[in-house]
Amino acid sequence: MREYRLTDWLPTTKKEVELRGWDTLDVILFSGDAYVDHPSFGIAVIGRILEAEGLRVAIVPQPNWRDDLRDFKKLGRPRLFFGISPGCMDSMVNKYTAGKRLRSDDAYTPDARTDMRPEYPSIVYTQILKRLFPDTPVVLGGIEASMRRLTHYDYWQDRLRPGILVESGADLLVYGMGERPVVELARRLERGETFGKAARSLPQVAYLASDATPQAGDVVLYAHEACLQDAKLQAMNFRRIEQESNRYHAARLLQRAGDKTVVVNPPCPPMTTEEIDRSFDLPYTRLPHPKYKGKRIPAYDMIKFSVNLHRGCFGGCAFCTISAHQGKFIATRSKESILKEVKTVTEMPGFKGYLSDLGGPSANMYGMRGRDLERCKRCARPSCIHPAVCPNLNVDHRPLLDIYRAVDALPGIKKSFVGSGVRYDLLLHQTGDAAIDKGTRAYTRELITRHVSGRLKVAPEHTSDRVLQVMRKPSFSLFKQFKEVFDRINREAGLNQQLIPYFISCHPGCTKEDMAELAALTKEMDFHLEQVQDFTPTPMTVSTETWYTGLHPYTLQPVFSARSPEERAAQRRFFFWYKIDERPGIVRELQRMGRHDLIAKLYGKGLPKGKGRYLPPL
């Protein structure tokens, strides 16, 4: 087991900078999360990849923004720029529930404290740095900034807000997975280019300009002020934004906001295997900084013995930000890089032979891409598998099966689990290619018999096909088919494992009656639902734009959404039909609907009295 020194982490204090023998810093990064030197934490990735360029980089995790600002001053002014990453999660999702109540913990903070980051750290940190160091450029990155690069609906303030550059005062925004644009920015600055010149020509960045002139091929969006006056224009804008974010070769986007224009340059092409390997192969300690000794960081506990196999997701779910941030094209690590990381995990303190996750945004998309890339380059579909699997998509599961088997053969590995969500529609898809379909069946069996830690997570999200169409999710009939496959394989293998479905209430298009039918259907399938959530409108998703505007961005047709707290509570109640204290309200609601058939399905004719909190079996 390796012995670590304090200098094995990037410095976080003046003393740690001096221990490295540095008298100046090139880049100083501020993070809303604790500093965990692990490839699942964005600030560590950016810090390490800049370090690999020969730059002197420091990280200031969770600076105190409420005192004399000493955390912002202590390392002085960097030679090139400040970078800000508000955290691995959107700060408002991290801080508040769907009901806008404060959460009781923060998984990315030592001991789960909830007072270590402000709301909207991108804005708060930038404004502080601009007051203290007005002439030093500030670069935003991370999920919060990425999803707010243009006019967006903010659920927590219930209003449209302009691109975050307008409100924060930052000089540049890097959206998506930021290694390449950040490295290129540093290289250009090292060559002597001015920040303004370097920044404006970079791919995958956004900046403010007072002199932006549309060029051939640009997409000029409706101005922020116009969207404030007409929600339909916001919906029309979003369709163009999503289409361009999913193109292989995208257009530049321009949107006026006040007296400035937000310019969004097209994204970089998908990362090559060599590029993503380089990012994952950097010398991470994979451990929290020693300053947190004796403290627990819940998010780290969840991922410390996990390995991410790829980035990106072509599912295109309407409520999800993964494809908007990571892209729909899969960036796949090499087998060699994955096995190297797994070997490192086996040498970590506390490892007992069990990998918690060999996964990705969707666990079973490893190595998948279009057979004919030229067709992909002309495509603007937001999803490669909805409403049906694209015939050009290679859905071969054999390379992933090979990874599983190679990992399990390594010394020190007793079991590797798949903790990430699995797309069962890919497992059920028949290509007509006998070898690929046989490989998919073999993958499905091995997944269920060797890589499930008692419970397999899948996400049907709803039972109503009409609602699922709005969600861009497959028909519930496919979930039923997969459950049959799951149950059969378990019987054949003599296993007693559970399928854990995730469901969402209050999604656009969903009514109380849809939720009542969901309750009846899932009860019929013998599920007592645990993994459930209310829909939370987050920036830059189809679902959020539909919820805010009342119109589907692609059809401009009205879509119902449960908006009031009372409507939302009424929908969520149906998840818990089996709780005694929910039963009277559910029965009254079903009586008002005239759905006595659902009352009988849920409770039987006699409505038996239960003891305790849960109903007895009927």
Side-chain angles (χ1 to χ4, degrees):
M1 191 178 299
R2 178 181 168 187
E3 293 290 331
Y4 288 100
R5 299 169 299 172
L6 186 56
T7 50
D8 289 321
W9 284 262
L10 295 173
T12 65
T13 65
K14 190 72 171 175
K15 178 184 176 181
E16 292 169 38
V17 171
E18 292 168 352
L19 281 174
R20 286 180 168 236
W22 297 348
D23 54 3
T24 59
L25 289 164
D26 300 314
V27 178
I28 301 174
L29 303 173
F30 287 83
S31 172
D33 290 340
Y35 172 30
V36 179
D37 192 37
H38 188 285
S40 292
F41 288 73
I43 200 71
V45 174
I46 296 301
R48 287 296 186 186
I49 207 155
L50 288 172
E51 178 191 45
E53 291 293 308
L55 298 177
R56 298 178 176 187
V57 184
I59 295 175
V60 181
Q62 300 189 312
N64 190 336
W65 73 100
R66 292 170 293 201
D67 61 3
D68 60 3
L69 307 181
R70 66 188 66 181
D71 285 344
F72 293 89
K73 302 172 186 175
K74 64 183 181 182
L75 298 180
R77 184 193 309 270
R79 186 170 62 88
L80 299 181
F81 58 85
F82 289 112
I84 293 175
S85 172
C88 293
M89 283 180 65
D90 183 278
S91 68
M92 300 304 283
V93 176
N94 197 359
K95 211 168 187 69
Y96 295 97
T97 67
K100 300 185 180 180
R101 294 185 298 273
L102 277 169
R103 295 190 188 275
S104 57
D105 56 21
D106 181 337
Y108 293 88
T109 297
D111 292 336
R113 286 179 56 173
T114 58
D115 59 346
M116 296 295 286
R117 78 176 83 223
E119 297 179 357
Y120 311 104
S122 299
I123 295 174
V124 174
Y125 294 172
T126 298
Q127 291 179 348
I128 290 171
L129 289 171
K130 281 299 182 183
R131 288 200 304 272
L132 296 174
F133 307 100
D135 299 326
T136 303
V138 175
V139 180
L140 298 182
I143 189 78
E144 178 173 270
S146 183
M147 298 298 98
R148 290 172 165 81
R149 55 191 185 258
L150 292 157
T151 294
H152 57 280
Y153 173 68
D154 188 294
Y155 171 66
W156 298 273
Q157 294 193 358
D158 192 24
R159 67 184 179 96
L160 275 189
R161 300 179 69 168
I164 199 167
L165 286 170
V166 176
E167 294 190 319
S168 67
D171 300 277
L172 188 69
L173 185 157
V174 174
Y175 64 92
M177 308 305 278
E179 294 104 315
R180 286 187 296 184
V182 167
V183 165
E184 183 61 22
L185 173 63
R187 288 174 177 172
R188 293 186 187 191
L189 295 177
E190 288 286 68
R191 292 198 298 263
E193 287 188 34
T194 64
F195 185 90
K197 180 181 178 183
R200 289 188 173 210
S201 56
L202 288 171
Q204 206 165 305
V205 302
Y207 60 89
L208 282 178
S210 55
D211 57 349
T213 303
Q215 302 168 4
D218 286 351
V219 171
V220 180
L221 302 169
Y222 292 105
H224 172 70
E225 289 75 17
C227 294
L228 291 175
Q229 299 300 316
D230 188 346
K232 183 178 180 180
L233 300 184
Q234 173 67 12
M236 294 169 72
N237 268 359
F238 181 80
R239 176 175 179 174
R240 294 305 306 269
I241 293 166
E242 188 187 46
Q243 286 177 328
E244 293 306 321
S245 71
N246 283 310
R247 289 185 188 277
Y248 197 95
H249 297 299
R252 190 173 73 148
L253 305 177
L254 285 79
Q255 185 183 34
R256 195 75 177 169
D259 60 353
K260 297 287 180 67
T261 298
V262 180
V263 181
V264 180
N265 287 346
C268 300
M271 293 181 85
T272 64
T273 293
E274 293 73 24
E275 286 172 326
I276 194 169
D277 280 357
R278 179 173 183 255
S279 181
F280 276 90
D281 292 347
L282 295 167
Y284 306 98
T285 64
R286 296 183 63 89
L287 298 168
H289 189 277
K291 70 192 291 181
Y292 306 123
K293 185 176 180 179
K295 297 180 179 179
R296 176 174 174 263
I297 302 172
Y300 173 67
D301 287 347
M302 290 178 61
I303 57 86
K304 63 182 175 182
F305 300 140
S306 70
V307 175
N308 198 339
L309 308 184
H310 62 274
R311 290 181 185 166
C313 180
F314 48 70
C317 299
F319 48 82
C320 183
T321 60
I322 291 172
S323 61
H325 185 64
Q326 295 192 13
K328 76 172 183 179
F329 296 99
I330 304 300
T332 298
R333 297 175 65 186
S334 69
K335 180 178 177 180
E336 294 72 25
S337 176
I338 292 166
L339 294 181
K340 178 182 175 183
E341 185 177 357
V342 173
K343 289 174 184 175
T344 301
V345 173
T346 64
E347 298 166 0
M348 290 179 63
F351 183 71
K352 300 185 185 304
Y354 299 94
L355 284 175
S356 61
D357 189 19
L358 279 175
S362 288
N364 58 320
M365 291 185 180
Y366 177 84
M368 295 185 182
R369 56 179 293 176
R371 292 186 176 88
D372 180 356
L373 189 57
E374 293 306 309
R375 289 178 64 183
C376 295
K377 290 178 179 179
R378 297 191 298 270
C379 178
R381 277 180 60 175
S383 171
C384 301
I385 53 179
H386 182 84
V389 177
C390 175
N392 189 46
L393 181 65
N394 178 5
V395 295
D396 192 349
H397 283 77
R398 289 174 294 178
L400 182 53
L401 187 56
D402 179 56
I403 294 291
Y404 289 177
R405 291 171 176 171
V407 167
D408 286 353
L410 289 175
I413 296 294
K414 296 177 182 177
K415 196 95 170 173
S416 61
F417 298 112
V418 176
S420 304
V422 173
R423 289 294 305 225
Y424 54 83
D425 44 350
L426 286 174
L427 300 182
L428 296 171
H429 178 63
Q430 297 293 308
T431 66
D433 182 310
I436 289 178
D437 292 345
K438 182 180 178 181
T440 301
R441 291 192 296 272
Y443 170 84
T444 303
R445 177 170 289 275
E446 184 144 337
L447 169 73
I448 293 170
T449 59
R450 295 183 59 85
H451 300 282
V452 176
S453 59
R455 310 175 104 198
L456 179 64
K457 296 185 295 188
V458 294
E461 308 295 11
H462 215 287
T463 57
S464 162
D465 283 353
R466 178 179 48 77
V467 178
L468 288 167
Q469 186 69 19
V470 180
M471 290 179 164
R472 292 183 184 152
K473 295 288 288 186
S475 169
F476 191 65
S477 63
L478 283 186
F479 174 72
K480 290 181 176 178
Q481 290 178 39
F482 181 70
K483 186 177 185 303
E484 291 172 2
V485 171
F486 182 84
D487 291 343
R488 173 177 54 79
I489 291 175
N490 273 281
R491 284 194 306 272
E492 292 169 355
L495 298 171
N496 183 26
Q497 301 183 128
Q498 288 182 289
L499 196 61
I500 305 298
Y502 283 63
F503 290 96
I504 296 177
S505 61
C506 307
H507 190 276
C510 179
T511 64
K512 283 185 288 189
E513 192 161 352
D514 293 322
M515 291 302 298
E517 291 177 349
L518 181 153
L521 269 171
T522 54
K523 186 215 171 193
E524 182 183 326
M525 297 176 74
D526 202 27
F527 286 116
H528 277 201
L529 302 182
E530 301 171 7
Q531 301 295 336
V532 299
Q533 63 178 352
D534 286 344
F535 168 67
T536 304
T538 56
M540 208 169 170
T541 70
V542 180
S543 300
T544 295
E545 299 299 329
T546 304
W547 194 87
Y548 165 68
T549 64
L551 305 171
H552 194 286
Y554 281 75
T555 65
L556 298 182
Q557 295 300 307
V559 178
F560 167 79
S561 292
R563 296 181 59 90
S564 73
E566 295 76 21
E567 288 177 310
R568 292 168 70 83
Q571 287 204 16
R572 182 178 176 82
R573 179 181 296 132
F574 284 102
F575 282 140
F576 306 110
W577 62 268
Y578 51 85
K579 294 184 178 181
I580 286 179
D581 51 2
E582 296 289 1
R583 184 172 63 188
I586 289 174
V587 171
R588 283 195 299 271
E589 193 62 50
L590 291 174
Q591 287 172 337
R592 278 196 292 268
M593 291 180 192
R595 295 300 304 267
H596 298 278
D597 59 320
L598 294 180
I599 296 174
K601 286 180 180 180
L602 289 175
Y603 301 117
K605 296 178 181 178
L607 291 178
K609 295 179 180 179
K611 293 184 178 181
R613 186 165 174 77
Y614 297 94
L615 286 168
L618 300 181

